[in-house]
Amino acid sequence: MRDEIDYANIPWRNKRFDPAALAEAAQTEARMETLWRAWHEHPGRKTLIFCCGIAHAEFVRTWLSARGVRTAAVYSAEGTDDREGAIEALARGDLDAVCSVDVFNEGVDVPLVDR
């Protein structure tokens, strides 16, 4: 599925996209519907979802949870789910997905993840 965010309209500041503008573009019902279609078209049991910020991770977790997906959100701020506990729960099959913000980045190897 193609990402429909028009990044040309998101300001670039301090060598990264403006976090508030990026979150606003990412936290949409239409984008979640695209994710949901991809979720069903590409089956998996242990999913890692990369989110652009804490609000986005919370939005995705809430949206998926409302559809019966057992989801945690991990990030480096107050309110995060326990990172190690979330990965262990994912490995055991007690969680279906982990929404991550700047915790699992490029080059990370999480062998148990299949989507």
Side-chain angles (χ1 to χ4, degrees), residues 68-87:
V69 178
R70 299 167 302 166
T71 309
V74 296
Y75 41 84
S76 59
E78 191 172 320
T80 184
D81 290 318
D82 178 67
R83 181 185 319 178
E84 289 179 23
I87 292 300

Side-chain angles (χ1 to χ4, degrees), residues 66-105:
R67 283 145 188 87
V69 178
R70 299 167 302 166
T71 309
V74 296
Y75 41 84
S76 59
E78 191 172 320
T80 184
D81 290 318
D82 178 67
R83 181 185 319 178
E84 289 179 23
I87 292 300
E88 290 169 3
L90 190 65
R92 283 192 311 270
D94 294 338
L95 282 178
D96 303 309
V98 174
C99 301
S100 169
V101 180
D102 294 333
V103 174
F104 305 105
N105 291 324

